Amino acid sequence: MDTLNNITAGVFNTINDAFTYMRQHAWLIIFVTGGTYYAKVHYIDPLLEERKRQISYRDATNPRRVNTLEQDMKRVRALQQEQHKNITAQAVKVEKKKKSEEMEKKRVKQPMETKGGAGQRLGRGDGDSAGGSSGGYNPMNPWSTSTSGYRPARRNPNRGG
């Protein structure tokens, strides 16, 4: 138990000596700490930054590294150019297709096209070259078809009751 008391007493004495030293030399500690901080901020940090910048510039302008980077850049740009050409060609094809579809929508179709090219000329029947009383429509004789002609609607008066 004595040794434990001796150890704790030694630790407390060391701490007490440290506080005593700080009390005696407080202004010296404050000025040295402030001066060190001032020198670091205004002199050491700018020198380190300048040194880092010089090393970075030297590495960036190294001819061997620059040559490799330029070759890589040319290769990548050529690849990007090829991809852009492909995309542009596809876009042109799509645009042409849309434009042709739009033109087809706007175009007025001829009567023969709507029937698939199998239209009839007026005044002629299906197979007869001399139109007579065949089943076709004759514009000079509207009653020539199978209908019985014009019949007005029957008038039935309202016989409500």
Side-chain angles (χ1 to χ4, degrees):
M1 184 91 154
D2 247 359
T3 47
L4 184 61
N5 285 338
N6 288 338
I7 293 173
T8 55
V11 169
F12 286 125
N13 286 337
T14 306
I15 293 173
N16 192 21
D17 290 343
F19 281 126
T20 304
Y21 181 80
M22 283 201 249
R23 265 188 247 123
Q24 290 173 354
H25 302 289
W27 288 110
L28 177 67
I29 293 171
I30 290 172
F31 286 127
V32 168
T33 305
T36 304
Y37 178 76
Y38 182 82
K40 180 187 180 300
V41 169
H42 290 355
Y43 298 109
I44 296 172
D45 285 348
L47 287 175
L48 290 176
E49 288 295 322
E50 180 66 25
R51 177 77 175 138
K52 284 181 187 178
R53 196 166 43 82
Q54 287 174 354
I55 292 171
S56 175
Y57 180 76
R58 186 182 67 217
D59 289 342
T61 57
N62 183 358
R64 187 179 301 162
R65 181 176 180 268
V66 170
N67 188 23
T68 304
L69 290 176
E70 285 179 357
Q71 289 174 357
D72 288 343
M73 185 175 58
K74 287 178 183 178
R75 180 181 50 81
V76 169
R77 283 185 180 173
L79 180 64
Q80 288 174 344
Q81 186 68 25
E82 187 65 31
Q83 290 174 348
H84 181 68
K85 282 181 183 179
N86 291 339
I87 292 171
T88 304
Q90 289 175 353
V92 167
K93 285 181 184 178
V94 168
E95 188 64 29
K96 267 187 175 179
K97 186 176 180 181
K98 283 183 181 179
K99 195 171 185 178
S100 66
E101 288 174 358
E102 187 68 27
M103 292 297 287
E104 185 65 27
K105 284 181 185 178
K106 289 181 179 181
R107 190 175 69 85
V108 177
K109 293 186 177 181
Q110 299 297 322
M112 297 298 276
E113 289 180 47
T114 58
K115 296 180 181 179
Q120 295 178 349
R121 290 191 175 183
L122 295 177
R124 298 198 176 175
D126 289 335
D128 300 332
S129 58
S133 62
S134 64
Y137 174 73
N138 183 358
M140 302 303 282
N141 184 5
W143 293 279
S144 65
T145 61
S146 62
T147 61
S148 61
Y150 172 73
R151 283 192 184 169
R154 185 173 173 156
R155 297 179 65 176
N156 289 333
N158 188 4
R159 298 186 184 189

